[in-house]
Amino acid sequence: MALLPILRYPDPRLHIKAKPVEAVDAGIKKLVADMFETMYAAPGIGLAATQVDVHKRVLVLDVSEDKSQPMAFINPEILSREGEHIGEEGCLSVPGIYETVKRSERIKVRALNLDGEPFELEADGLLSVCLQHEIDPLDGKVFVEYLSRLKLSRIKAKLAKQARITA
């Protein structure tokens, strides 16, 4: 396993739409293992392949308190949405920024597992929010892009300042 570099917003590669995975092979399984290692080390609760500059429809997450429930979703798609949830989100690609975002309260998702078998999952609460949040980069979107232009410009300025300080 290996730690992968995480792209930082506003890197244009975060806006590349991910391509579907043709086959769940050894390369995809290694990608998933590396993504879990990267996510846990960051630390975070979710990571999309786009965030590590791999433009395939793969995401990993673990919303458990003790990191005991790793879940991988290959070619995830949201089948249905219900309700409304408004809550604070952060992102490994937008470090140190937490903002309120409106999402669906409950979703139903279809994906492939690590054996290449299709499955469906109904999710609510944190799992629902995390899935929606991680599917966004696969579609070329970062959570801060749900915010007003004013907030987004302030975030970009803050991130640029952080980059100058750490350079």
Side-chain angles (χ1 to χ4, degrees):
M1 292 195 296
L3 288 178
L4 305 170
I6 297 172
L7 299 178
R8 298 262 175 122
Y9 185 80
D11 192 309
R13 293 172 290 178
L14 289 168
H15 295 103
I16 297 172
K17 286 194 172 199
K19 301 218 180 317
V21 171
E22 299 292 326
V24 181
D25 56 18
I28 293 297
K29 290 179 182 180
K30 181 180 183 334
L31 172 64
V32 167
D34 291 346
M35 286 174 64
F36 273 121
E37 185 175 356
T38 302
M39 177 189 77
Y40 288 131
I45 62 171
L47 187 65
T50 300
Q51 294 176 270
V52 293
D53 203 19
V54 176
H55 303 285
K56 296 181 179 178
R57 292 193 68 81
V58 176
L59 70 84
V60 298
L61 57 84
D62 187 342
V63 297
S64 67
E65 290 287 327
D66 60 357
K67 302 179 183 176
S68 64
Q69 297 172 11
M71 302 173 77
F73 295 78
I74 300 163
N75 296 337
E77 62 178 309
I78 297 174
L79 302 175
S80 65
R81 300 172 182 267
E82 291 180 29
E84 185 178 286
H85 174 271
I86 298 173
E88 192 173 76
E89 296 183 21
C91 181
L92 296 177
S93 290
V94 193
I97 304 294
Y98 298 90
E99 290 290 339
T100 302
V101 177
K102 182 166 54 170
R103 301 272 186 191
S104 299
E105 175 64 34
R106 290 171 299 286
I107 61 170
K108 185 174 186 178
V109 176
R110 178 174 41 224
L112 300 176
N113 65 19
L114 279 176
D115 294 320
E117 298 166 345
F119 69 95
E120 290 184 3
L121 175 74
E122 292 186 17
D124 61 11
L126 182 58
L127 180 57
S128 172
V129 169
C130 190
L131 277 164
Q132 292 171 79
H133 179 102
E134 298 308 333
I135 289 172
D136 276 351
L138 302 180
D139 294 331
K141 190 166 186 171
V142 180
F143 93 101
V144 293
E145 293 165 354
Y146 286 100
L147 306 175
S148 71
R149 283 191 208 163
L150 177 62
K151 276 191 176 182
L152 189 54
S153 66
R154 286 181 179 163
I155 288 167
K156 284 180 179 179
K158 184 175 181 180
L159 293 173
K161 183 178 178 183
Q162 285 175 359
R164 285 192 304 274
I165 291 169
T166 59

